[in-house]
Amino acid sequence: MLSELDARTDLTAPERPFDPQQHALFVSGQRCYLAQHPHHRFTSPIDNHETLVNTLETELAKCPSEDAVVFGILPFCKSEQAQFLVSDHVQTLDKSHFTAYLASQNKLEGTRFPELDDVHHRQSQAHYEQAIVRAKTLFERDELEKIVLGKQVDLYFDDALPKGQVLTNLLHQSSSGFPFSFPTESGTTLLGVSPELLLKKSHRAIFSNPLAGSAKRTSDSAMDVQRQRTLMNSKKDRFEHAVVLVEMSQVLEPWCHQLHIPSVPSLLSTATMWHLSTEVEGQLHTPATHVLALANRLHPTPALCGKPTQHAYPWIKVLEGESRHFFSGIVGWCDKHGNGEWVVVIRSGEINGRHARLFAGAGIVHASNPTAEWLETEAKLSTMLNALHATTAYRQFTQESLLETA
């Protein structure tokens, strides 16, 4: 169990060099969980909660170690397959130690960080803003209260991206949040720093920290404080946040004999954004409840999909024009006792060779301004752009694109 491993964080370096192409990483607080001893991989459908949990338990049982842990990633779309990696044990390191080790490993490899060569918006600004206009007609017909619309951006560099360096940059810039790295079966690596904990379970205790309602941070301290106040007082953002909490409560209450959801949100900050945040705590009726039995029921929440979820869900692919695949899915781990921790796949990118695909989204309600929502998605790309050393070059490419279409 990882709860037992948590006490053994005296090691300062991994047992072997960390390879993002083969190994998995999940960071929670100041602890890094490394899966460097893969036992086997498997996939599973996620459209049936019981089948998913049964598959996980069966696959974990194939590994004789009681310390076996499965790392995995669930896609946004319930009709697609989740991917899992079983490790016979997990190494737990202090975050600062692992970050320093990884930086040293990168220095020894001496790889030049490539330059951004080209940018392709898979959804242009015009496409994205028109999708919001179309969504508002659904609100006017009372078909939806909220929908989350995302965009994907392809970045091409002049050489292969050093995944270890990108991961190091993510760890350096994230004093909070949940950094992760997962090697997919197609050979890509999914990297990111999620600010949002979907669900953590330890025995009977569960914890969730949904985020909805956002504002970009600024280096001007006075203006940053003003943006905090504006966000807390925004009727649009408060409504967007409340929608998420109502649905989470409906999903979790039948499983809990105690559930506490504060009536007023707080503010959570990342390096680049402010978010409305609520810490949800509960006690389960039974500790035998599997973390993914609940996480898969919560996923996707209105914070990543919309409300009503079942009605917003099919409209997302129509309005965005393509599948999100693992973007706005969930990534995390679970052990043989059904404990685990799962976060949403945002502030992330999928890297393969010289190509990186990034994703960002925004919650759309009746009061949304299309251009403001586009700018919010641009701000949310900053986490990955900074890690790719591409922020300035991306802005230049984007500005040139706007001038060409003006």
Side-chain angles (χ1 to χ4, degrees):
M1 296 171 60
L2 286 190
S3 57
E4 295 170 353
L5 289 173
D6 284 348
R8 304 202 297 271
T9 57
D10 54 328
L11 297 175
T12 59
E15 297 167 357
R16 60 186 70 178
F18 184 79
D19 181 3
Q21 196 72 23
Q22 301 182 55
H23 305 148
L25 169 75
F26 185 89
V27 183
S28 178
Q30 295 306 307
R31 290 191 171 95
C32 296
Y33 302 128
L34 279 70
Q36 292 188 289
H37 297 267
H39 186 272
H40 69 284
R41 301 188 66 129
F42 66 96
T43 61
S44 174
I46 62 171
D47 56 352
N48 182 284
H49 310 304
E50 289 73 22
T51 299
L52 174 61
V53 171
N54 289 338
T55 300
L56 282 166
E57 292 175 341
T58 299
E59 294 292 338
L60 266 172
K62 293 178 181 178
C63 187
S65 171
E66 276 302 306
D67 291 328
V69 171
V70 60
F71 284 64
I73 182 164
L74 276 61
F76 172 75
C77 181
K78 294 286 189 180
S79 64
E80 297 179 6
Q81 296 272 313
Q83 295 185 16
F84 298 97
L85 184 155
V86 177
S87 183
D88 56 17
H89 76 276
V90 169
Q91 188 179 2
T92 307
L93 277 76
D94 179 84
K95 180 183 176 183
S96 62
H97 293 162
F98 178 69
T99 304
Y101 167 83
L102 199 58
S104 297
Q105 179 180 306
N106 298 332
K107 189 174 182 180
L108 286 173
E109 292 172 355
T111 307
R112 178 187 73 89
F113 209 97
E115 300 289 331
L116 184 62
D117 208 29
D118 197 13
V119 173
H120 172 61
H121 285 88
R122 300 179 66 84
Q123 293 84 14
S124 67
Q125 182 172 354
H127 173 116
Y128 189 80
E129 293 186 8
Q130 184 57 37
I132 294 174
V133 173
R134 291 181 64 188
K136 288 193 172 192
T137 65
L138 301 175
F139 303 149
E140 290 166 2
R141 297 201 300 260
D142 293 327
E143 293 184 34
L144 297 177
E145 294 179 55
K146 172 187 174 180
I147 190 169
V148 178
L149 294 178
K151 68 180 184 188
Q152 297 179 42
V153 185
D154 287 326
L155 306 183
Y156 297 94
F157 293 78
D158 64 2
D159 204 348
L161 286 159
K163 297 175 182 178
Q165 288 190 40
V166 176
L167 181 56
T168 303
N169 294 341
L170 288 170
L171 290 164
H172 273 305
Q173 73 180 33
S174 59
S175 58
S176 60
F178 302 84
F180 60 86
S181 175
F182 187 85
T184 72
E185 293 195 342
S186 63
T188 66
T189 301
L190 194 71
L191 299 155
V193 182
S194 175
E196 184 167 358
L197 174 64
L198 178 67
L199 191 70
K200 178 179 182 178
K201 173 190 173 281
S202 180
H203 307 291
R204 288 181 185 271
I206 60 169
F207 182 79
S208 179
N209 189 194
L211 310 177
S214 306
K216 184 180 180 181
R217 298 200 65 181
T218 174
S219 57
D220 183 313
S221 58
M223 186 179 295
D224 207 41
V225 169
Q226 182 57 47
R227 289 186 179 181
Q228 294 177 53
R229 293 173 180 158
T230 300
L231 180 59
M232 280 295 290
N233 294 325
S234 166
K235 291 183 179 180
K236 176 260 182 188
D237 290 289
R238 292 289 288 267
F239 172 76
E240 184 183 334
H241 192 79
V243 163
V244 175
L245 296 179
V246 169
E247 184 146 325
M248 291 194 75
S249 173
Q250 292 171 348
V251 172
L252 293 175
E253 276 186 346
W255 298 84
C256 298
H257 69 80
Q258 179 185 326
L259 186 66
H260 175 64
I261 302 178
S263 57
V264 178
S266 58
L267 285 171
L268 181 145
S269 66
T270 68
T272 59
M273 300 293 295
W274 285 106
H275 298 282
L276 291 180
S277 161
T278 297
E279 296 185 350
V280 177
E281 297 180 89
Q283 291 288 323
L284 297 168
H285 291 299
T286 170
T289 301
H290 198 285
V291 62
L292 271 180
L294 298 180
N296 197 40
R297 283 177 166 86
L298 289 169
H299 169 64
T301 72
L304 278 300
C305 184
K307 184 177 175 63
T309 300
Q310 67 272 23
H311 294 155
Y313 193 73
W315 274 108
I316 286 175
K317 188 171 183 179
V318 172
L319 294 175
E320 291 182 2
E322 63 181 333
S323 172
R324 293 181 179 180
H325 300 297
F326 291 124
F327 292 130
S328 67
I330 57 175
V331 62
W333 63 269
C334 53
D335 62 19
K336 286 190 172 183
H337 303 273
N339 298 313
E341 198 166 8
W342 293 82
V343 300
V344 298
V345 182
I346 53 177
R347 313 297 188 274
S348 59
E350 191 170 7
I351 296 176
N352 185 28
R354 56 184 288 269
H355 171 233
R357 179 168 294 175
L358 313 186
F359 172 87
I364 310 303
V365 294
H366 194 274
S368 292
N369 176 283
T371 301
E373 301 295 353
W374 168 267
L375 292 175
E376 180 177 319
T377 63
E378 287 288 282
K380 288 176 176 176
L381 292 175
S382 296
T383 297
M384 284 303 301
L385 289 173
N386 290 339
L388 292 165
H389 293 175
T391 302
T392 301
Y394 173 80
R395 303 302 177 207
Q396 291 172 346
F397 273 105
T398 302
Q399 188 62 36
E400 289 170 5
S401 177
L402 289 172
L403 290 173
E404 289 172 3
T405 57

